[in-house]
């Protein structure tokens, strides 16, 4: 059974920006993401949802795919936290509280060693290596299931450059940031290697669904 | 946990017709469905797929949802087979060969008793009763998961009339049949009770995604 590397529910602005440059504890995205994620939070299957309800239309098909057949996640260090350099603060255990939405092993790419730890159903491992090596570790941990590539922008670009991404869902929101960490100038840059369905949603975002040629 | 009743990947023509009137062993749909199902067969997640490959864009999000969290199916007798009246031919075990794609208990609505039987992971039960009673049986068998309402048109209409359907995905194909069993004159008939996202696909079908208001 093929184990895919999948980007799921990654959000960028209409100018292709996923995050700003001055990330801090208070600003995980380094900028005010504004309404960028509203579409996802409104769905019944949003992984962070705590109350019943929510929409079950097109957007919900995307959020409900977040965990389907996923056995591990890979993320960049900046998705895990705003710290740079050695891990001085081992009390910091991610943005997500005591119940992180991943519920699988998570591999955080970093040049600085740190012991693994578990939070509820999620176990964070801190690993150094090139994308192919980290993917190999994540695949082994996923036990036959797919691996989700969680972001941010820099990490996704690394794996795209290494040609390791199999499918990618990017929601493009109708906001414009002007500057920040850019996933692309245009999604068309990827058409040499990927098929692309461009699907406008009634919520205002445009879902970009890529799969390998 | 709420157990939804879900219609998944049901196909109709642009004039709302799901099947013709003269069903036979050779013509399960009573008419030549032509290209009506092409979109689904082209996807990686099509339940009947036997070879690798297939698209992973918008249409695949729909076919991959077919089995997600489904614990039982309800179908009308005419989806199971072309026979009418008492079950004379117990050799007939459905259209799907030795590996039916359901892989759960399936409840076939019929006025004529017949013993249950299993084919691979699927068990067919033959039940009489109004929609609410049959749904109750299917929910018990689904063990907390959702129930799929498999069709055909007459059966879906029955459950819609009884207001038992929670979500419904209908793919409208760009073919016109003129006469046959009609799901609707227009999808707008359901807007008093359902939200509706209308999503055109690059494959040519238009996905209609309904969820309860």
């Amino acid at each position: 059974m093929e184990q895919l590397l999948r980007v799921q529910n990654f959000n960028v602005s209409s100018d292709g920006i996923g995050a700003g440059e001055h990330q801090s504890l208070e600003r995980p995205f380094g900028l005010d993401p504004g309404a960028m994620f509203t579409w996802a939070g409104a769905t019944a299957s949003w992984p962070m949802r705590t109350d019943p309800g929510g929409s079950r239309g097109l957007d919900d098909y995307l959020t409900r795919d977040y965990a389907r057949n996923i056995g591990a996640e890979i993320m960049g260090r900046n998705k895990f936290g705003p710290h740079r350099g050695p891990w001085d603060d081992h009390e910091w255990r991610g943005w997500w509280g005591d119940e992180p939405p991943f519920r699988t092993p998570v591999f955080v790419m970093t040049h600085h060693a740190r012991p693994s730890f578990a939070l509820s159903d999620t176990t964070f491992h801190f690993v150094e290596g090139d994308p192919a090596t980290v993917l190999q570790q994540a695949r082994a941990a996923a036990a036959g299931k797919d691996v989700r590539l969680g972001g941010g922008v820099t990490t996704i670009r690394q794996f795209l450059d290494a040609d390791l991404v199999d499918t990618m869902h990017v929601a493009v929101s109708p906001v414009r940031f002007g500057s920040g960490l850019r996933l692309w100038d245009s999604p068309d840059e990827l058409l040499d290697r990927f098929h692309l369905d461009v699907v406008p949603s009634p919520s205002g975002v445009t879902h970009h669904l890529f799969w390998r040629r």
Side-chain angles (χ1 to χ4, degrees), chain A:
Chain A
M1 194 69 175
E2 194 184 8
Q3 281 185 285
L4 304 177
L5 181 63
R6 296 159 40 194
V7 174
Q8 300 280 143
N9 301 342
F10 195 75
N11 276 257
V12 300
S13 62
S14 63
D15 47 346
I17 290 165
E21 287 172 340
H22 303 288
Q23 188 188 36
S24 67
L25 270 177
E26 295 71 31
R27 294 165 75 90
F29 292 90
L31 46 75
D32 176 2
M36 193 153 79
F37 306 114
T38 313
W39 73 273
T43 64
S45 304
W46 186 49
M48 306 288 279
R49 176 171 286 283
T50 50
D51 57 334
S55 66
R56 297 182 186 274
L58 173 64
D59 291 343
D60 196 52
Y61 276 81
L62 284 304
T63 56
R64 80 175 63 142
D65 208 48
Y66 177 78
R68 182 193 54 82
N69 198 42
I70 290 289
E73 163 150 339
I74 296 168
M75 65 171 65
R77 172 170 186 162
N78 297 0
K79 176 169 173 182
F80 179 76
H83 319 85
R84 305 293 181 264
W87 298 101
D88 294 328
D89 179 8
H90 283 211
E91 294 300 304
W92 171 263
R93 304 206 294 173
W95 309 98
W96 305 279
D98 293 337
E99 291 274 351
F102 311 108
R103 305 185 184 285
T104 64
V106 171
F107 293 83
V108 181
M109 294 175 77
T110 168
H111 297 298
H112 301 279
R114 175 173 170 168
S116 302
F117 66 88
L119 262 181
S120 182
D121 304 332
T122 301
T123 303
F124 291 96
H125 302 290
F126 299 83
V127 295
E128 183 164 15
D130 62 12
T133 306
V134 173
L135 178 55
Q136 200 170 26
Q137 288 177 276
R139 282 207 170 119
K145 295 188 174 181
D146 294 342
V147 175
R148 185 174 48 232
L149 182 58
V153 166
T154 309
T155 304
I156 294 177
R157 289 284 356 159
Q158 276 186 302
F159 280 80
L160 283 173
D161 291 346
D163 200 21
L164 294 171
V165 176
D166 295 301
T167 68
M168 184 160 67
H169 162 229
V170 179
V172 178
S173 295
V175 294
R176 198 180 165 78
F177 291 140
S179 70
L181 297 174
R182 197 176 291 271
L183 181 62
W184 55 44
D185 286 318
S186 157
D188 293 352
E189 296 162 14
L190 298 171
L191 291 184
D192 57 333
R193 287 184 286 147
F194 290 94
H195 299 277
L196 170 60
D197 279 355
V198 178
V199 186
S201 168
S203 63
V205 301
T206 302
H207 298 294
H208 287 63
L209 309 173
F210 298 87
W211 70 104
R212 204 187 264 284
R213 286 191 177 277

